[in-house]
């Protein structure tokens, strides 16, 4: 912890989930160095967790930087699929809207972050967690491949961590005394029984080998049966899809071929050619979704076309695909699409590109 804060100063922040990772804040305090703390408020947390946040702020004299999901994305998800869709089709979509995208926006403003991951938290997904790594999923202020992820308690046993918390007399979430160990959102967290592993209290209706919300998704192993994220079938990587929001239209091959044929369209289209396994595509997930929300109701359609596997040759020959991601604008009155020329893929830059052509 001292090394992380010394090296990165104000360009690093501690991720605090409202559970036993309060130890990270205690370690930071003990270094005597300034530190930042942020937390994801999904809007679905337990009342006890919110009270715990308040107690931690008062105990340490800090202000936690709370991150919130995009209201339009939450509204679209709930109106389309209801409040508890995750019980039927898995937690990933909800976690993507409420946790992953807000985190992605936060991390794009720092050079490093600190997590409370421990190897013993989830043997199926976190057993190989290093103390320091280049973040394999998110990008920092300097772009893809630049964000450093610190896991200072990776090698600490959970029992030792709790002994530390008790000895330092720090605030803890009252849910721990009710049988909760790993604590997340209220609908997706329950107490565990004696002898059960702590992660069995999370998303208990799903496969036990893939209990990650997306914040640490690359922990999942390729040989896990539940890890469809990295499974390859017939030469196509079937990683769970990205750009998953109701504001983005998922185009099929016939759909995009039809767009190409039209000399006049009812509305202009902005389309990303992507591969879900591509880290640069993953890095623009939040910004492209943000863009789609901003363009909703403007008459400009936002879409995506998966252009790897069997579709790659077609995309290279007909859609100007050079590398992933490739972004195309289909004007209203011109048949040929215009390729976005810049490597800047934030929402504002893409909107400026669209406005210049409409």
């Amino acid at each position: 912890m001292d090394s992380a804060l010394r090296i990165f100063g104000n360009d690093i922040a501690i991720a605090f989930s409202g559970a036993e990772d309060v130890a990270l804040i205690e370690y930071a305090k003990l270094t005597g160095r300034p530190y930042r703390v942020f937390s994801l408020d999904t809007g679905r947390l337990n009342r006890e967790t919110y009270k715990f946040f308040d107690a931690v702020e008062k105990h340490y004299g800090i202000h936690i930087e709370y991150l919130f999901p995009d209201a339009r994305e939450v509204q679209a998800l709930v109106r389309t699929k209801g409040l508890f869709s995750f019980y039927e089709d898995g937690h990933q979509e909800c976690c993507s809207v409420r946790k992953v995208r807000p985190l992605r926006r936060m991390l794009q403003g720092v050079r490093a972050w600190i997590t409370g991951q421990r190897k013993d938290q989830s043997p199926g997904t976190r057993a190989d967690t290093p103390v320091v790594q280049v973040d394999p999923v998110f990008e920092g202020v300097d772009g893809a491949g630049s964000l450093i992820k610190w896991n200072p308690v990776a090698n600490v046993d959970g029992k030792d961590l709790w002994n530390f918390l008790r000895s330092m007399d720090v605030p803890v979430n009252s849910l721990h005394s009710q049988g909760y160990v790993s604590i997340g959102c209220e609908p997706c967290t329950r107490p565990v029984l004696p002898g059960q592993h702590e992660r069995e209290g999370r998303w208990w209706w799903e496969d036990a080998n893939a209990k990650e919300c997306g914040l640490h998704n690359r922990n999942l192993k390729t040989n896990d049966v539940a890890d469809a994220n990295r499974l390859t079938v017939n030469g196509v990587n079937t990683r769970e899809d990205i750009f998953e929001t109701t504001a983005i239209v998922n185009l099929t091959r016939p759909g995009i071929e039809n767009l190409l044929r039209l000399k006049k369209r009812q509305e202009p289209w902005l389309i990303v050619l992507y591969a879900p396994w591509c880290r640069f595509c993953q890095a623009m997930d939040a910004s492209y979704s943000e863009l789609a929300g901003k363009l909703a109701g403007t008459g400009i359609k936002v879409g995506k076309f998966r252009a790897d596997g069997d579709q790659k040759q077609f995309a290279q020959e007909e859609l100007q695909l050079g590398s992933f991601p490739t972004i195309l604008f289909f004007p209203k009155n011109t048949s040929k699409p215009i390729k976005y020329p810049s490597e800047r893929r934030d929402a504002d830059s893409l909107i400026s590109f669209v406005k210049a052509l409409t």
Side-chain angles (χ1 to χ4, degrees):
M1 179 66 75
D2 185 69
S3 296
L5 297 177
R6 174 178 54 82
I7 294 169
F8 289 100
N10 198 50
D11 288 328
I12 192 170
I14 298 169
F16 176 48
S17 71
E20 78 276 9
D21 51 357
V22 66
L24 298 174
I25 303 176
E26 182 67 16
Y27 286 133
K29 174 193 171 186
L30 293 174
T31 69
R33 300 181 185 277
Y35 59 92
R36 297 170 59 188
V37 179
F38 73 89
S39 190
L40 298 164
D41 184 351
T42 65
R44 304 294 299 261
L45 303 178
N46 290 275
R47 178 173 177 268
E48 292 86 348
T49 299
Y50 288 113
K51 293 179 70 175
F52 178 45
F53 284 151
D54 183 62
V56 167
E57 287 188 313
K58 291 176 178 176
H59 180 84
Y60 290 101
I62 61 174
H63 291 290
I64 297 173
E65 300 173 37
Y66 295 104
L67 313 179
F68 301 92
D70 184 282
R72 290 166 297 188
E73 291 185 10
V74 174
Q75 178 175 284
L77 174 64
V78 173
R79 286 184 176 180
T80 303
K81 306 184 74 171
L83 287 166
F84 300 99
S85 60
F86 37 82
Y87 291 141
E88 299 176 4
D89 56 15
H91 70 276
Q92 293 293 346
E93 183 178 14
C94 185
C95 285
S96 178
V97 169
R98 295 180 182 270
K99 299 177 74 173
V100 177
R101 290 173 188 158
L103 176 65
R104 194 180 298 280
R105 291 193 291 268
M106 167 71 189
L107 295 180
Q108 286 174 341
V110 297
R111 294 171 55 217
W113 65 307
I114 301 170
T115 87
Q117 287 192 102
R118 301 193 322 272
K119 292 179 178 178
D120 67 344
Q121 280 176 326
S122 184
T125 63
R126 300 187 177 184
D128 298 323
T129 300
V131 174
V132 186
Q133 63 185 133
V134 175
D135 196 300
V137 176
F138 299 102
E139 66 177 43
V141 69
D142 298 320
S146 68
L147 184 69
I148 305 301
K149 183 177 182 180
W150 294 73
N151 310 298
V153 294
N155 298 316
V156 178
D157 185 273
K159 293 179 181 179
D160 292 334
L161 192 72
W162 270 101
N163 287 335
F164 172 73
L165 293 176
R166 294 187 186 99
S167 66
M168 303 306 291
D169 194 27
V170 303
V172 295
N173 195 321
S174 62
L175 289 173
H176 288 303
S177 64
Q178 301 174 41
Y180 292 80
V181 183
S182 178
I183 299 173
C185 293
E186 187 276 333
C188 301
T189 306
R190 68 179 183 181
V192 295
L193 298 172
Q196 282 188 307
H197 192 272
E198 61 185 82
R199 297 292 280 187
E200 291 188 52
R202 304 287 294 278
W203 310 296
W204 57 90
W205 63 93
E206 296 185 14
D207 191 287
N209 291 322
K211 301 247 177 149
E212 296 288 352
C213 61
L215 307 188
H216 310 294
N217 227 27
R218 291 297 180 84
N219 293 337
L220 301 179
K221 305 253 191 330
T222 55
N223 59 351
D224 286 340
V225 175
D227 187 15
N229 285 0
R230 301 214 192 163
L231 186 62
T232 298
V233 179
N234 295 330
V236 179
N237 188 297
T238 60
R239 184 189 190 278
E240 183 172 329
D241 210 1
I242 53 178
F243 309 123
E244 290 278 80
T245 170
T246 54
I248 298 175
V249 180
N250 186 14
L251 290 170
T252 61
R253 170 79 172 263
I256 201 162
E257 285 178 333
N258 187 48
L259 268 181
L260 282 170
R261 282 194 296 265
L262 292 173
K263 293 184 178 180
K264 288 190 176 182
R265 305 176 181 88
Q266 291 184 344
E267 60 271 306
W269 283 77
L270 186 72
I271 296 172
V272 60
L273 311 180
Y274 74 102
W277 45 263
C278 168
R279 64 173 180 161
F280 299 108
C281 297
Q282 296 165 18
M284 68 170 286
D285 190 352
S287 60
Y288 197 66
S289 299
E290 179 186 352
L291 166 78
K294 289 183 176 181
L295 291 180
T298 65
I300 300 171
K301 295 284 190 178
V302 179
K304 64 177 183 177
F305 176 68
R306 182 166 178 173
D308 62 342
D310 293 340
Q311 306 302 330
K312 188 172 183 179
Q313 183 175 351
F314 160 73
Q316 289 172 331
E317 294 175 354
E318 303 294 335
L319 297 171
Q320 308 174 55
L321 175 68
S323 59
F324 295 118
T326 292
I327 302 169
L328 301 176
F329 183 70
F330 289 75
K332 190 173 181 178
N333 298 313
T334 306
S335 59
K336 187 176 180 180
I338 301 169
K339 186 174 180 179
Y340 180 60
S342 174
E343 294 297 317
R344 295 183 62 86
R345 303 184 185 108
D346 59 282
D348 290 338
S349 296
L350 290 170
I351 286 177
S352 296
F353 169 68
V354 169
K355 286 183 176 179
L357 299 172
T358 53

